[in-house]
């Protein structure tokens, strides 16, 4: 009796673990980060000023992205 229950549980676990997850995220390719600033907690708030210093009026803020597990961010400017 114990053996048959163990076999049934093992078969169910194998079936559940081998089936694909329906909500698996699709990896999205990121754009390269031009004129990246250093990673910090407070410097990312001044992205517009940083990007202006890097390339004048033609360079704008593209995005802010996370740098590490400490939730620090950096500025990415447009090329």
């Amino acid at each position: 009796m114990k053996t048959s229950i163990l076999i049934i549980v093992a078969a169910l676990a194998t079936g559940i673990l081998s089936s694909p997850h329906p909500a698996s995220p699709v990896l999205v390719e990121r754009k390269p980060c031009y004129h990246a600033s250093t990673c910090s907690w407070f410097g990312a708030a001044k992205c517009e000023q940083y990007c202006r210093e890097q390339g004048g009026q033609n360079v704008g803020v593209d995005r802010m992205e996370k740098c590490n597990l400490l939730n620090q961010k950096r500025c990415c400017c447009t090329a």
Side-chain angles (χ1 to χ4, degrees), residues 9-79:
V9 169
L12 287 174
T14 304
I16 291 171
L17 293 176
S18 65
S19 63
H21 192 273
S24 60
V26 177
L27 294 178
V28 177
E29 187 176 332
R30 273 207 237 177
K31 297 186 294 185
C33 185
Y34 299 106
H35 304 292
S37 65
T38 58
C39 296
S40 69
W41 284 295
F42 308 110
K46 300 179 180 178
C47 282
E48 291 180 17
Q49 178 183 356
Y50 173 77
C51 289
R52 219 177 303 121
E53 291 172 359
Q54 294 302 312
Q57 296 293 345
N58 296 333
V59 176
V61 178
D62 186 22
R63 68 184 183 279
M64 290 185 345
E65 66 180 19
K66 281 179 71 172
C67 291
N68 51 29
L69 296 175
L70 298 174
N71 205 21
Q72 292 180 332
K73 295 183 180 177
R74 69 178 177 180
C75 301
C76 292
C77 305
T78 56

